[in-house]
Amino acid sequence: MKSVIYFVFKINEENYIDDIQSQINYDVKQYIITDIINPSKSIYNKVDNIFYFKDKISCLNGTIHLLNYLETFNCTETLLLNTNKQYDLSQLTYKNISNVKEEFAVVNNIL
């Protein structure tokens, strides 16, 4: 099973979630990690769950918990996307969830 995790930060910054979602297959589980209280209703489209954290650093630190959660439910590949950036199809490459967890272990040590 594949999943996509979107990072949604700051309402006043440009948000490309609609553009990104149009490039994602319908059979992929989609999740949002955000620091926005009461995000816009439009970002709920096609999303299975929204995880709220108090600030951007907590969002990044909490990502490992979401990855563990996904792995528990047999998710094998994931894609992490910042909705403040635009992506083309060549950049939408899924990675093995174990590799992503290892990369985030390094990020958490730096933070």
Side-chain angles (χ1 to χ4, degrees):
M1 181 171 69
K2 293 182 178 181
S3 66
V4 176
I5 300 172
Y6 301 104
F7 293 97
V8 180
F9 302 118
K10 294 185 183 175
I11 295 171
N12 58 353
E13 290 185 16
E14 195 66 37
N15 187 320
Y16 299 103
I17 192 164
D18 293 328
D19 296 335
I20 297 168
Q21 281 183 327
S22 67
Q23 298 179 49
I24 303 295
N25 291 339
Y26 67 93
D27 61 339
V28 174
K29 298 286 186 183
Q30 299 182 43
Y31 302 91
I32 291 178
I33 294 179
T34 187
D35 62 350
I36 300 171
I37 299 172
N38 298 324
S40 167
K41 299 281 188 222
S42 67
I43 70 169
Y44 291 106
N45 290 342
K46 304 176 190 174
V47 174
D48 292 292
N49 207 340
I50 297 177
F51 297 90
Y52 171 77
F53 295 94
K54 66 179 180 175
D55 57 31
K56 195 181 265 190
I57 298 294
S58 298
C59 288
L60 295 175
N61 289 337
T63 302
I64 196 74
H65 300 295
L66 177 55
L67 293 171
N68 288 332
Y69 168 81
L70 293 175
E71 201 169 41
T72 302
F73 293 101
N74 298 323
C75 180
T76 56
E77 296 179 299
T78 192
L79 179 61
L80 304 178
L81 299 173
N82 181 348
T83 59
N84 298 122
K85 295 182 179 181
Q86 289 184 319
Y87 297 93
D88 60 29
L89 282 175
S90 66
Q91 295 172 308
L92 300 178
T93 305
Y94 292 89
K95 292 184 178 180
N96 183 302
I97 201 162
S98 298
N99 294 343
V100 175
K101 284 172 57 176
E102 289 174 14
E103 291 171 7
F104 258 90
V106 172
V107 169
N108 283 339
N109 287 335
I110 293 170
L111 295 175

